[in-house]
Every structure is written in structure tokens, then in C-alpha cells.
Amino acid sequence: MTFDPQGRLIVGLDDVGLARLAASQEAADQPWTFERLDDTLKHCRGVLYAHDSLYVNATDSREFWRWRDRDADGQFEDRRLLRTFDYRSRYGHGQNQLLLGPDGMLYLVIGNDVSFPPGMSLASPYRNPQIDRLLPDPHDAGQDNRVGYIVKTDPDGREWTVIAGGLRNQVDAAFNADGEMFTWDADMEWDVGAPWYRPTRLNHIVSGGEYGWRWGTAKWPAYYEDSLPANLETGLGSPTGMVFGTGSQFPPRYRQALFMADWQHGRILAVTLQPDGASYTAEDQLFAEGGPLNVCDLTFGPEGALYFITGGRRSQSGLYRVRYTGPAEPERTLTLDEQQRVESGRRARALRRELEQTHTSAAAGSVDRLWQFLGSEDRWLRSAARVGLENQPTDRWTKRIFDEQDPLRRATALLAWVRVAPAEQRPAIVETLCREPLPASEAALLTSLRALSIALVRETPLSDALRASVMERLSAADPASSTAVRRELSELFVAVRAPDALDRVLPWLAGSPSQEDQIHYVHALIRHRGPWTLSQRRQVLSWFRAARKFTGGHLFPTVLGHMHEDLLATLSDAERTELADLLTPLTEPLAEVEAVPARPIIQRWTLEELAPQLSQAASKRNWESAQRALAAASCLKCHRLGNSGAAIGPDLTSVGKRFDLRTIAESILEPSKVVDAKYHATIWELASGRVVTGRALQVSGQEITIEINPLTKESTKISRADIESSRPAAISPMPQGLLDTLTLDEVLDLLAYLRAGGNPGDAAFR
């Protein structure tokens, strides 16, 4: 959504087209007018009025447009296509919102389903993202390097520069009063419980910023020195619109806040940012919530009120306005400490921006200036200096590494070198890393380990002597430094084929209380290609048996299953015989929850019959009856609600924050009417005449692994060469008739329970 100069709202519609909304000029209580401006552009996620033009990101059309009203008649007769995008949708993560920067440039927010389009400036601060993860998971094979990114262009769309990347599906971005950009990146909820899960996160977007999202298990941890950490983690959610309160008529404390919309949980957060070096710390508080309140976008109007729209995925949409009507509040006087913090942050950000000038230039003298900050305690300054150094000719700075005495500065320079070095220079980098013991400080140690990891990922050949030197340095590193150090050492010991890799890592596995850490260690151990003792095999196989009780997202059991298969593939026939007592139980199903007795059909419910009764679900409902209805309708066999259920279908915990009762009822009664793209099945027709229906779990260049029964986890593999055609399945995997064994009261109790997220204290159950 965007306001035009006349104060009218222009909004993208749910599937196709744009519309213009205007308040009545006659009376405030009159309905707004609705005028359709377009009915051809598909799924317009980005709209921005700037430079006397309307800019439109038409996601499903794969197009970016500039419209102009040359004769001021209210119509956009001048419509020019500025660029098309290579949008290959997996889950609909394409071109998202647009915003006007303080420099007058246009910034496009692009999700991870869009390749860098041709014509990007070769001097872009962010370019050529690599996976760069040690011990790659073979089940991630076939995925490409597409990442979400931020790109800027001029008003005519002639020059394009990629600013930052390594994001998943950041829908919007916003500039604060100091011209600093922020985005709220989406999580991959299917990864919950795994060490590579990354919650929704607020990111400070800076020049050359790498934020570490990669496909599958290859996501970068926050401690990787060549990425930047989140300023705030916000757990599960579906981030959408963002806007700073700078131009609002709200009280002063809100004019500095960042407002962020969470579509999934039906809420708007107000985030307070405090200067912290060259970046910020952040705290969030709840600003507004409702049910349903599936907020898609928000912005401040010309008069300073907050406007937001709800809807999406064919749900009921609404336009809301939030005004402040209380007494005027004075600006709060900052304490001396606060003033010093603000001034210190201002100086640090100015310094960071100075260093960022080297991201696109190689002026003489730049290396001297950058070198000073490679060992800075401020990670954001250190990162800006490293990115700038990587942009300078290497013959100007690599020799300085050998004489550098500061451990962190030396490690950061080595990391920069290995990231840009040609293949023939990488053995020399590893040799340089091994000339001295690894540093003791955690920051310098992790940076050195990361540099070594990248050298190995990029297939640097190691002589026997150099490999021995590497193992000697790794063995001397202190694993007690931190969990992050142990995680990195576990992968490096396996990667360099250290003879004692198992003896070192297995005690960490046994001593860790963290599910995520345990999975990380086992994920590394199963790649070990040296000898195993039967005792070591037993320890890992026993862990797999215990891990079956771990909980996580939709992909969690699949990933554990792949890990188990990979380990079994390394067993000899003799080992299989010796370990039979541990292998057999792993093939047996876990004890099922007590089966719910079969119930007779009460009525074939339809939406037309239920709709007039839905108002009764708002009060005087029975919570115990609702729980029984939940079991009778088999909801938790496929869905999670709170801490219960499975992760086969969408999580229902916050469904009442996104949809009203009618929509919830409709989704149960008519499950195939609207199917979330993440849960859509596909029909593959093969040359043999065989037809396979399911969801793709893994895709490689040669074959596709398809889940054909989500309840039993049954899957099959097909060769891509055998596929004659494929198309989306029109039928949802969710069966119909789930409510037909329930009475009207039970249906209403169940709907109230879903709307309330299972909360027994909800008003409906009082």
C-alpha cells in the first residue's frame, strides 16, 4: 500500500490488479470509494508512489513497472516496464515491497526465489554468494545459490546495484531518521528443532551485508565472521509490513519506533532501537493485536495516522486506521549516559559509512585505513573493513598478514584473503594459518576456524605435512571456549580426517543437554570416513533411538531419517550383524496415542448450514467438549496446536489471529478451495504411464524424492529424465468430512477452540 500526493491509498489486490481507495470529501463517516486501476498485473506485493510515478512490483507477473499520470486526469496512461525478474517460485518468495531511500533511489526487497537479474553492477557491494558450508549434506544436493537480497536502482531503472543479501523472504524494509535500513526476515518453520533453524529476525541492512541464509541444512550460524548477526530475534511468525513512526502524530516515544506487522500471529510490534557501536540493539513490545488481524502492510498517512491492511490468501481484507487522541507529550530529556551513547553511535555509524565507500572503489591509501579496523571490537566496523579489503587488489595487502601481530586483525585479514583468493593461493593461506598456534580469544579463534573451513570447502589440496599441521593446530584449540567453537571443531576434525575425530566429538555429544547441539555433532560424525569401533557405532545408534522423541518442524523427522540412512550406508555386513539389536527398533513405529473410538456420521456439514450459527461460537462454549472434538476430527494427526500435534500441515496455534470463524470453518469443510503453497501437492506423469502425487522433499539434478503419504512418511524417488509432465494437484491432502461426526455444539466448541489457540481462559469459554 502507498499514499499518492492527493492522500489516496493505492493497494495491491490479493491475486490480480491494483485499486485506489479514497476517503469521502463530504463527511468523515461516509464509505471510502474503491476504484480498480488494473486487472492484469498478478500479485502486486510492492507499490510505491515516488518521483511523480507509481512503481509496482508485480510478483507473479515477474515484472517491475513505472506508471505516470502525464495529464493529471487520475489515470496512468504512461506505463513502462522497467525490468523483468527470473522468479522461480518454491514458496512464493519473489519480488516484495518497494521503498524510497533517503538518497532518492528506489530499493527493491527481493525474496530467495529470484535470481540476480542480468545487468547488475559489477561493483555491487554484494555479489556472488557462496554456500561455503563444511560437510555439505548430500540431501541438499541440487539446490542453487539463490538468496534473498536488497537491490537499488535509479528512478528510470537504468542502473542496478545489489546492496546486501543472504536473506530468506524479507517482505518489507524501512529507513529510520538517520537513513539506516532495516528488514524483518522470515524463518523456515519446518526447520524448528534443528541446529540450522533461524527464527524471524530483525536485520540492520548495511553495504555488503551478508546475513547467512542458505538452502536446507546449509544456513550459516550467527557467529560466522563473514556474516552479520540479527539485531533482534522474534521467534516464529510471518513478517510483512514495516514502517518507522518518524512522520507520525504519535507521542515522541513512538515516533522513533519501528512498527512491524506479523501476519501469522495477528499483531503489530513496536520496536525500540538503541545505538550500539556502528549498529543498534533492539527491544520489541506489543503495539496491537486481534483475531483475525492478519496484517499485510502498514504505512503512515499524510495526517500522521497509522494505516494498515489485513487479508491475503483469499481471506477477508480490511483497512484500519490508528490515531493518537491523548494529550500532547513532551520530548523526554536524555540522561548524560544516554546522550553519550547517542553521540558515540553517531560517530561509529559515520565511520562505518566511510569504510563502506571502499566497497565499490579501490582508491590509493584505502588499505591503510581499512587495516586499522580489521581488529575492531565492533563487529559492524570489522565487517565493513573486511568487505572493503576484499574489494582492493590483493597484491596491495596480503603480504601485510605475515607481519601482523594482533590476533583478531590477522585472522580477519586471512578470512578476507581466503574468500577472494584464486585456487592456487589457498594452500599458502592454510600454511599461514598454521604458522602460529590458533588464537585464544573466542572472536579471533572462530574467525581463524572459519577461514580454514572456507579453504577446505573450496577444495584446497593439503599435503600430508600440511594436513598434519592443521590437525596439530585444531587439537590445541580449547573446546571449552564456547559451544560455537565445539561445533566448528567437530566439523573440522571430520573434514581433515583426524584419526581421533570420534574420540573428541562423541564426549561432546554425550555431555550436551541441547537437542540442537546433539544434532549438529551427529550430522558431522556420520560424515566421518575413518574407522569406527563397535562401541562408537553403538553410541550413535543409541542416540538415534533416543532422538526419535525429539520434537521439531515439518522437515525434522525427514532430516533425522536421512541422517540415519547415511549412517547405515556406512555399516559393513559384519557390523549390521553385531548391531542388530539397535537396528531393529529403529524400524518400528513409536507407540501411538490411544486411538479415538470411531464415531458415526451425524450430519454432512456445509458452510451454508454452519454460517448462520457461527456467532454462537463467541461465548458460552465448552472447553472439554472442544478438546474431545479436536481428537474426533483428527486435527492433531497433521497439525500442531501449542505444544501438541504433528507438523505435517500448517500450525494452527495462531490461526485465529489470521482468519475469522467463517474462514476457519470453510478451510475445514472445503480444504481444496485454498491451499498454502508450502503444502500443495504436485502430480507427476512419467513416461511409463505411472502417476505419482505428493510433495517434493528433495530435488537433485537426476531425481526427485516425493512424500506420497505425510502421515506415514512414505516416500518414493523418480528420475527427472522419466518425467513427461507435472502440474499442481487440485485436491488438498487434507480430507473432507472431518466435522461430519460432530454435533452442532461440538463443531462450535471446536471452532472456538481453534480461534482461541486452545486457550481455556479465552472469553469464549468463560
Side-chain angles (χ1 to χ4, degrees), residues 58 685 743:
E685 296 181 353
T743 65

PDB file of all heavy atoms in Angstrom, residues 58 685 743:
ATOM      1  N   ALA A  58       5.105  -6.445  -9.551  1.00  0.00           N
ATOM      2  CA  ALA A  58       4.087  -7.458  -9.811  1.00  0.00           C
ATOM      3  C   ALA A  58       4.757  -8.824  -9.701  1.00  0.00           C
ATOM      4  O   ALA A  58       5.374  -9.308 -10.648  1.00  0.00           O
ATOM      5  CB  ALA A  58       3.466  -7.252 -11.190  1.00  0.00           C
ATOM      6  N   GLU A 685       3.518 -37.083 -14.091  1.00  0.00           N
ATOM      7  CA  GLU A 685       3.196 -38.162 -15.034  1.00  0.00           C
ATOM      8  C   GLU A 685       4.498 -38.628 -15.678  1.00  0.00           C
ATOM      9  O   GLU A 685       5.251 -37.827 -16.254  1.00  0.00           O
ATOM     10  CB  GLU A 685       2.212 -37.666 -16.088  1.00  0.00           C
ATOM     11  CG  GLU A 685       0.861 -37.276 -15.493  1.00  0.00           C
ATOM     12  CD  GLU A 685      -0.126 -36.797 -16.542  1.00  0.00           C
ATOM     13  OE1 GLU A 685       0.293 -36.637 -17.717  1.00  0.00           O
ATOM     14  OE2 GLU A 685      -1.296 -36.583 -16.201  1.00  0.00           O
ATOM     15  N   THR A 743     -21.622 -33.021  16.528  1.00  0.00           N
ATOM     16  CA  THR A 743     -22.888 -32.306  16.630  1.00  0.00           C
ATOM     17  C   THR A 743     -22.633 -30.814  16.386  1.00  0.00           C
ATOM     18  O   THR A 743     -21.479 -30.357  16.358  1.00  0.00           O
ATOM     19  CB  THR A 743     -23.494 -32.483  18.023  1.00  0.00           C
ATOM     20  OG1 THR A 743     -22.637 -31.850  18.989  1.00  0.00           O
ATOM     21  CG2 THR A 743     -23.659 -33.962  18.364  1.00  0.00           C
TER      22      THR A 743
END
